PDB file of all heavy atoms in Angstrom:
ATOM      1  N   ARG A 106      62.773  95.619   3.660  1.00 98.00           N
ATOM      2  CA  ARG A 106      61.832  95.669   2.402  1.00 98.00           C
ATOM      3  C   ARG A 106      62.220  94.720   1.347  1.00 98.00           C
ATOM      4  O   ARG A 106      61.505  94.440   0.440  1.00 98.00           O
ATOM      5  CB  ARG A 106      61.841  97.041   1.886  1.00 98.00           C
ATOM      6  CG  ARG A 106      61.159  98.110   2.858  1.00 98.00           C
ATOM      7  CD  ARG A 106      60.923  99.351   2.120  1.00 98.00           C
ATOM      8  NE  ARG A 106      60.277 100.320   3.060  1.00 98.00           N
ATOM      9  CZ  ARG A 106      58.931 100.368   3.287  1.00 98.00           C
ATOM     10  NH1 ARG A 106      58.058  99.472   2.566  1.00 98.00           N
ATOM     11  NH2 ARG A 106      58.360 101.261   4.084  1.00 98.00           N
ATOM     12  N   SER A 107      63.514  94.225   1.391  1.00 98.00           N
ATOM     13  CA  SER A 107      63.943  93.292   0.299  1.00 98.00           C
ATOM     14  C   SER A 107      65.132  92.522   0.701  1.00 98.00           C
ATOM     15  O   SER A 107      65.672  92.773   1.805  1.00 98.00           O
ATOM     16  CB  SER A 107      64.350  94.231  -0.899  1.00 98.00           C
ATOM     17  OG  SER A 107      65.424  95.039  -0.620  1.00 98.00           O
ATOM     18  N   GLY A 108      65.523  91.536  -0.087  1.00 98.00           N
ATOM     19  CA  GLY A 108      66.675  90.746   0.165  1.00 98.00           C
ATOM     20  C   GLY A 108      66.348  89.494   0.977  1.00 98.00           C
ATOM     21  O   GLY A 108      65.315  89.008   0.950  1.00 98.00           O
ATOM     22  N   LEU A 109      67.502  89.034   1.627  1.00 98.00           N
ATOM     23  CA  LEU A 109      67.322  87.874   2.398  1.00 98.00           C
ATOM     24  C   LEU A 109      67.662  88.301   3.849  1.00 98.00           C
ATOM     25  O   LEU A 109      68.497  89.149   4.114  1.00 98.00           O
ATOM     26  CB  LEU A 109      68.422  86.860   2.151  1.00 98.00           C
ATOM     27  CG  LEU A 109      68.205  85.748   0.958  1.00 98.00           C
ATOM     28  CD1 LEU A 109      69.431  84.933   0.816  1.00 98.00           C
ATOM     29  CD2 LEU A 109      67.044  84.975   1.208  1.00 98.00           C
ATOM     30  N   VAL A 110      67.004  87.587   4.859  1.00 98.00           N
ATOM     31  CA  VAL A 110      67.373  87.681   6.245  1.00 98.00           C
ATOM     32  C   VAL A 110      68.028  86.360   6.552  1.00 98.00           C
ATOM     33  O   VAL A 110      67.661  85.265   6.019  1.00 98.00           O
ATOM     34  CB  VAL A 110      66.201  88.003   7.185  1.00 98.00           C
ATOM     35  CG1 VAL A 110      65.771  89.528   6.826  1.00 98.00           C
ATOM     36  CG2 VAL A 110      64.929  87.145   6.998  1.00 98.00           C
ATOM     37  N   THR A 111      68.865  86.418   7.480  1.00 98.00           N
ATOM     38  CA  THR A 111      69.652  85.184   7.983  1.00 98.00           C
ATOM     39  C   THR A 111      69.335  85.161   9.513  1.00 98.00           C
ATOM     40  O   THR A 111      69.602  86.100  10.264  1.00 98.00           O
ATOM     41  CB  THR A 111      71.136  85.231   7.766  1.00 98.00           C
ATOM     42  OG1 THR A 111      71.381  85.395   6.384  1.00 98.00           O
ATOM     43  CG2 THR A 111      71.805  84.052   8.250  1.00 98.00           C
ATOM     44  N   GLY A 112      69.034  83.949   9.968  1.00 98.00           N
ATOM     45  CA  GLY A 112      68.800  83.655  11.359  1.00 98.00           C
ATOM     46  C   GLY A 112      69.893  82.706  11.844  1.00 98.00           C
ATOM     47  O   GLY A 112      70.350  81.689  11.160  1.00 98.00           O
ATOM     48  N   VAL A 113      70.401  82.992  13.039  1.00 98.00           N
ATOM     49  CA  VAL A 113      71.376  82.087  13.654  1.00 98.00           C
ATOM     50  C   VAL A 113      70.770  81.731  15.124  1.00 98.00           C
ATOM     51  O   VAL A 113      70.699  82.686  15.870  1.00 98.00           O
ATOM     52  CB  VAL A 113      72.757  82.778  13.775  1.00 98.00           C
ATOM     53  CG1 VAL A 113      73.786  81.796  14.552  1.00 98.00           C
ATOM     54  CG2 VAL A 113      73.253  83.147  12.423  1.00 98.00           C
ATOM     55  N   ALA A 114      70.638  80.544  15.344  1.00 98.00           N
ATOM     56  CA  ALA A 114      70.135  79.988  16.595  1.00 98.00           C
ATOM     57  C   ALA A 114      71.249  79.431  17.419  1.00 98.00           C
ATOM     58  O   ALA A 114      72.022  78.565  16.934  1.00 98.00           O
ATOM     59  CB  ALA A 114      69.000  78.974  16.427  1.00 98.00           C
ATOM     60  N   THR A 115      71.415  79.883  18.629  1.00 98.00           N
ATOM     61  CA  THR A 115      72.361  79.264  19.562  1.00 98.00           C
ATOM     62  C   THR A 115      71.771  78.965  21.041  1.00 98.00           C
ATOM     63  O   THR A 115      70.866  79.732  21.347  1.00 98.00           O
ATOM     64  CB  THR A 115      73.620  80.269  19.817  1.00 98.00           C
ATOM     65  OG1 THR A 115      73.095  81.516  20.249  1.00 98.00           O
ATOM     66  CG2 THR A 115      74.355  80.449  18.482  1.00 98.00           C
TER      67      THR A 115
END
Side-chain angles (χ1 to χ4, degrees):
R106 292 188 180 278
S107 64
L109 272 180
V110 291
T111 300
V113 178
T115 54

